[in-house]
Amino acid sequence: LQFLGKPLLDRDGDITCLKKIARRPNNHHVVKLYACVKAKRTITDSDLLRQCDYIIMEYIHGPYVTLKDFVKAPADDEAMVMIRQYFQHMCAGLETLHNAKILHLDVKPSNYLFNKETRIGKIVDLGTAQLQHTPRGSTSIDKPMPKIGTEGFRAPEQLRGIVQNSQ
């Protein structure tokens, strides 16, 4: 259970995207949402009641390996197999998001968890995710886009302030 401490702002974003992914039967590489719970809670330093939101998500246990771990490790046959699995699972997660028409908008190494024992990787943190909206019959769209995501990991089209969705 993760306490968010503030109301969820489902701005066509994270919760909608997580719910959409949860309905996909073959989602093995994007974190799963199980439930959203709204509750009133008393704040300890005052008697105010406020709405708090909780999300119940898949627990992803470690130990994790990062891309940096692979770069530092000796490149033996076992490491090469694990690196291949690392990227195959990452690409499968991105494909799941793409097929669901979800833009993650913050893909970076810390938003991908790969368990070195189970050798399963999951894309996490859909806090900036948005549904892709493409007009019917259109193959691409240009619209202003706010600078979302982590500096240094943004796509070039985000840096220019334009998103181009090609089918």
Side-chain angles (χ1 to χ4, degrees):
L1 189 66
Q2 177 184 5
F3 172 64
L4 298 178
K6 60 184 178 187
L8 293 173
L9 300 173
D10 192 24
R11 61 207 178 287
D12 185 27
D14 49 354
I15 299 303
T16 299
C17 293
L18 284 165
K19 285 179 181 177
K20 189 172 183 179
I21 290 294
R23 292 190 300 264
R24 297 185 85 78
N26 294 323
N27 170 31
H28 303 293
H29 301 292
V30 179
V31 68
K32 292 178 179 72
L33 172 73
Y34 294 123
C36 295
V37 180
K38 294 192 180 292
K40 296 219 182 228
R41 179 172 180 249
T42 304
I43 302 171
T44 54
D45 52 348
S46 70
D47 291 327
L48 295 175
L49 264 176
R50 71 174 192 172
Q51 184 78 30
C52 291
D53 297 324
Y54 298 85
I55 54 175
I56 302 170
M57 298 180 72
E58 174 182 16
Y59 175 72
I60 304 171
H61 58 81
Y64 306 111
V65 283
T66 65
L67 199 50
K68 189 185 285 187
D69 296 328
F70 288 126
V71 170
K72 290 181 178 180
D76 60 6
D77 289 343
E78 182 67 21
M80 296 308 289
V81 168
M82 196 178 299
I83 290 169
R84 188 175 307 114
Q85 290 171 329
Y86 179 96
F87 283 106
Q88 285 173 334
H89 290 199
M90 179 186 285
C91 290
L94 292 171
E95 181 179 34
T96 298
L97 294 172
H98 176 79
N99 290 340
K101 300 203 179 298
I102 294 172
L103 305 172
H104 187 286
L105 299 176
D106 198 21
V107 176
K108 60 184 178 182
S110 63
N111 285 343
Y112 178 71
L113 303 177
F114 185 83
N115 183 309
K116 71 178 186 177
E117 291 175 0
T118 64
R119 296 191 178 190
I120 294 175
K122 301 259 183 177
I123 293 176
V124 298
D125 191 2
L126 277 77
T128 58
Q130 295 179 7
L131 295 176
Q132 174 185 343
H133 297 289
T134 305
R136 196 173 274 230
S138 174
T139 57
S140 73
I141 122 177
D142 293 330
K143 66 177 184 178
M145 177 168 209
K147 290 184 179 170
I148 296 174
T150 304
E151 185 124 1
F153 291 98
R154 292 186 192 129
E157 58 272 19
Q158 281 184 297
L159 295 173
R160 288 193 316 263
I162 299 289
V163 64
Q164 296 175 341
N165 298 324
S166 299
Q167 297 298 321

